[in-house]
Structures are given as structure tokens and as C-alpha cells.
Amino acid sequence: MKAKPRKTRDRRFVDESVYDAALERMRHLYARFDRVVVSFSGGKDSTVVLQLALDVARELGRLPLEAHFYDEECISPDTEAYAERVCAWPDIALTWWCVPIKHRNACSRQQPYWYCWNPDEREMWVRPLPAAGVVSMPGFVKGMMIPDCSQLPFLGSAQTVAMLRGIRTQESLRRLRMTTMTQVDNYIHQSPNSRNLWLCDPIYDWTFEDVWVAPSRFGWDYNRQYDRFEAMGLNHMQQRVCPPFGEEPLGLLHTWAICYPELWHRMIARVPGAATAARYALTDLYGHHLKAPPDGLTWRAWTWRVLDLYGEPWRSRVALSLRTAIGEHQRKTMRPISESEPDPLSGVCWRVLAQMALKGDFKNRKIGSLVQQAHKTQDRLGLTLDEVIALEQDNDGTRY
């Protein structure tokens, strides 16, 4: 097999702080777009974006700064209090959306989604509707997720809109690849759902340390939920303000019972499987650091048995993720899929596929991490990527 030429773009280091670079990007966005809107979550990254955008808006006379906050109902009292403080700032025009967004529920295979602020389940809401909450959005249809409806507030307008996000490339290889696809304005991406909306990541090159230092250095307000995380001894990579029931944050679901016991009692009544997940998310039951399949099964047999635990239409959705991963393997190599060692070129093995089945991987996050699995195997074997590609030339052509 002839090795294909690879397109690489190495990082370029410049003699400029990330703070100054982010301010320059903000000024560029204000010059290029008619409207600049901050997507505010209450987390540390969106806090940095909000404050930087506010500084530039003041500098350019573009106040008030627009911000959109999607209230996901199961948020902490600290996050709600922080959003209320931001909403009260005279230089910020915050729209507080409380619409029935569809959210992932990795706690349950039978009900893998739940809907915040569902009007049909009003008696089960974990919090009263906020005073500033907006409950209707033109064009919104129940079942939409945030990426599906984020462009709706701007429909019918001829203005170009820059939606500012707190996306950083340090957090995932997928985000790094997205940023390196272009060399000019690599932090600006046109929304796939709208012709006049651009998704902009002005702090893409900030590190965890940068984000944590900035509020202290500049005296910014922040979400006090992080103080609780710090008191619990969580490391900074674990301290995330996000929907608690998704596949990635599931391992820290138990912290809600410790930090917010009164809210937690309402949360476990609100979302199916939450109490079970809080207790067992870090065990084999949810695929956490699974070392061996049960009952003497092979990883391959266990993968298909787990798939059968899902009801339709979810079984078909998980099966699609598995087929996509297997297809990627077949596209890259002629080697059969190993039981437990990720392939050095595709990153696929039946152990990884079993973990995908256990977690559901409805957002295809695990598929995006297969490249990292491949790199780990290359490191263990002491091979470079070019050497792994060269091995394909000696393959006998047998797939399975």
C-alpha cells in the first residue's frame, strides 16, 4: 500500500501573550461582523470570553454586550447566582433562555435523553423558573439541542453575527484539528445551520493555567461552584461546569450529592438513572476502566451483548457508531481488529468498541479519540506513524 501524503500544520509560537492575542481577535471580530454575541455558560472559559469581549466593547463604544445563556434546569445554585449577577450588569444585555432543550442522559439506556424545562413535566422541575427566563424562541421545536437552535434568534436578519464561545484546543484533539484546518482566521467557523452566523473561538490557544489565573489577576467575578470543586480536592481538569448527565461528566455526578444535597434529591427524581449512575459510574457497570469482559466472554462478544441491552431506536444509533468505527479501521488498514490492543493506525480494537457500546457515544466523541488510541499504541511499540504505514505494504490482504 502506497503511503498517502499527509497534511500537517505545526504550531507556530509567537512573542505575544494569549491575553493580548485574544483582545486583538476580539477587535477583529467587532470590525468584521455586524453583531457580536457571547455564548455564556457560567463556566470558567465563557467567563474569560465574556470579560474580554466586554473590555473591547467598552473600548470601541459597542455597548451593551449581547450574551445568550441557555439554562439547562439542572444547574447549581452557584451557577444560577452567577448568571443573575451577570444579568444585572448594566453593560451586558443577557438573554436567559429556558426552553425544552434535548440533553443527553448517559445514566440510562432506556431513556438516553431528557428535556430541561419540559412544560409537560412542570411538577418535576428541580428549580422554579428564573425571573429573567425566556420560555419561547421563534422556530424552536421540542427535541432540538443547543447547536440546532443557537441560530434561531438571528433568523430573518440580514446582519452577520459572531457567536463567541469558550472553546480551547487544549481540551481535545478534535478541537485542535478543527482549529488547524485553516491558517487565516482559524478561530472563525461558519455555522453549518446558518449563512449569517459564525462560531468564533477567540481563546482557542489558552491553557488551563491561563484560564485559572485570569479572574484572580484581573479581579473578575466568577462562578463560586469552582470554590466547592477546589474544596473537594478535584484537579483543575475535572472542574467543569456543564450538564451533569452526559457521557463525559458522568464520573463526577456523585459530587452533586456532596455539594448540593437539597438540589440532588430533586435531580434524581427528575432524570432516570441518575441515582444509580452517581453510585456506579466509576465501576465496570458503566465501562469505567474496564479491564476484562464478564462471564469469560471475548471483547467482541461482549460488545454485541451490550448493544442488545438498548431498545430501539437507540440500539440502531449505537450500532451506527460501532459500524462507523469499524469502517474507519477497514479504510486505514487490512489488519484484523485486535481483541484488546488498539490498532496502531486506526486506534480500533474490540475493547474500545465495547466501551463505546457501554457509554452509548451518541455524540461520536469516542470515535474522535481513536487517533489518540492509535498514538498510544505507536508509542508502546516504539514506532512512528510512517513506520506503521510502511507495515501495510507487507500485509497479506486478509481482513478477518
Side-chain angles (χ1 to χ4, degrees):
M1 179 183 295
K2 185 178 179 180
K4 297 180 180 179
R6 292 184 290 113
K7 178 173 64 176
T8 61
R9 292 193 177 97
D10 296 331
R11 295 176 180 175
R12 181 170 59 90
F13 294 91
V14 297
D15 188 19
E16 184 181 28
S17 71
V18 292
Y19 173 76
D20 291 332
L23 289 177
E24 283 302 314
R25 294 174 193 137
M26 292 289 186
R27 296 185 185 104
H28 174 66
L29 292 172
Y30 270 101
R32 176 173 170 179
F33 295 98
D34 299 322
R35 293 173 65 181
V36 173
V37 183
V38 175
S39 179
F40 178 69
S41 68
K44 57 187 183 298
D45 299 328
S46 68
T47 289
V48 171
V49 172
L50 182 78
Q51 294 284 359
L52 294 177
L54 185 58
D55 288 345
V56 174
R58 287 170 175 159
E59 171 190 315
L60 300 177
R62 296 283 294 272
L63 295 174
L65 172 66
E66 289 188 75
H68 285 195
F69 175 58
Y70 285 87
D71 189 328
E72 293 151 333
E73 187 190 330
C74 287
I75 64 174
S76 72
D78 290 314
T79 300
E80 184 175 14
Y82 179 37
E84 287 175 345
R85 294 196 299 273
V86 171
C87 192
W89 292 354
D91 289 346
I92 291 182
L94 180 76
T95 303
W96 192 315
W97 297 109
C98 294
V99 290
I101 298 287
K102 179 180 178 181
H103 284 292
R104 177 75 169 98
N105 176 26
C107 305
S108 171
R109 293 192 182 97
Q110 281 69 44
Q111 294 178 262
Y113 289 101
W114 74 286
Y115 300 85
C116 65
W117 305 116
N118 187 346
D120 298 329
E121 300 173 341
R122 186 179 298 268
E123 70 284 354
M124 299 177 64
W125 289 356
V126 301
R127 299 163 37 233
L129 192 70
V134 179
V135 298
S136 63
M137 178 185 293
F140 181 86
V141 177
K142 181 183 175 183
M144 284 184 169
M145 306 181 84
I146 291 179
D148 303 321
C149 65
S150 58
Q151 83 282 0
L152 294 181
F154 315 110
L155 291 181
S157 172
Q159 292 181 313
T160 56
V161 181
M163 178 65 75
L164 275 53
R165 309 180 300 179
I167 298 293
R168 296 184 297 108
T169 57
Q170 186 190 31
E171 292 193 316
S172 76
L173 186 61
R174 177 177 57 86
R175 292 179 175 182
L176 177 61
R177 289 200 302 267
M178 178 182 66
T179 304
T180 57
M181 289 298 291
T182 56
Q183 293 179 310
V184 178
D185 289 346
N186 60 337
Y187 58 98
I188 302 174
H189 319 280
Q190 186 166 17
S191 169
N193 300 321
S194 174
R195 298 182 62 181
N196 68 329
L197 177 65
W198 277 259
L199 308 176
C200 307
D201 310 321
I203 65 166
Y204 71 88
D205 51 356
W206 284 48
T207 64
F208 282 108
E209 293 78 11
D210 297 326
V211 172
W212 284 105
V213 166
S216 175
R217 181 168 181 176
F218 300 112
W220 294 339
D221 193 5
Y222 67 95
N223 189 335
R224 300 302 189 269
Q225 184 172 350
Y226 290 108
D227 293 340
R228 298 179 188 266
F229 287 154
E230 195 73 21
M232 290 187 65
L234 299 180
N235 66 52
H236 287 171
M237 292 188 66
Q238 291 177 307
Q239 298 183 23
R240 299 184 62 192
V241 173
C242 60
F245 308 110
E247 295 157 7
E248 288 78 20
L250 202 63
L252 294 175
L253 187 57
H254 66 282
T255 63
W256 287 77
I258 299 170
C259 293
Y260 310 103
E262 293 184 5
L263 178 67
W264 175 247
H265 285 297
R266 296 192 291 273
M267 288 170 61
I268 60 179
R270 180 75 174 95
V271 178
T276 302
R279 178 170 294 184
Y280 298 109
L282 298 178
T283 70
D284 291 357
L285 184 63
Y286 284 82
H288 186 78
H289 291 166
L290 195 61
K291 295 180 175 62
D295 303 327
L297 296 173
T298 63
W299 284 112
R300 181 173 183 169
W302 176 234
T303 300
W304 301 123
R305 181 170 293 189
V306 169
L307 182 63
D308 287 337
L309 297 176
Y310 291 90
E312 291 293 356
W314 319 121
R315 183 187 297 117
S316 296
R317 179 65 188 83
V318 177
L320 177 61
S321 291
L322 296 177
R323 287 198 300 269
T324 301
I326 293 172
E328 279 294 294
H329 176 84
Q330 294 174 335
R331 184 178 65 83
K332 292 181 177 181
T333 178
M334 303 292 286
R335 285 184 294 273
I337 297 178
S338 166
E339 269 291 301
S340 58
E341 179 75 1
D343 188 89
L345 197 55
S346 70
V348 175
C349 69
W350 286 106
R351 176 176 58 82
V352 170
L353 294 174
Q355 290 176 334
M356 288 175 57
L358 281 164
K359 293 182 179 297
D361 194 36
F362 284 18
K363 296 183 179 180
N364 291 331
R365 296 281 175 83
K366 283 292 182 182
I367 292 177
S369 68
L370 292 177
V371 174
Q372 294 169 293
Q373 296 285 351
H375 287 168
K376 290 178 181 178
T377 301
Q378 292 167 22
D379 292 340
R380 284 196 295 269
L381 297 176
L383 297 173
T384 66
L385 179 58
D386 289 333
E387 289 171 336
V388 172
I389 293 174
L391 290 176
E392 293 298 302
Q393 299 175 353
D394 300 327
N395 195 283
D396 63 2
T398 302
R399 286 187 182 274
Y400 296 94

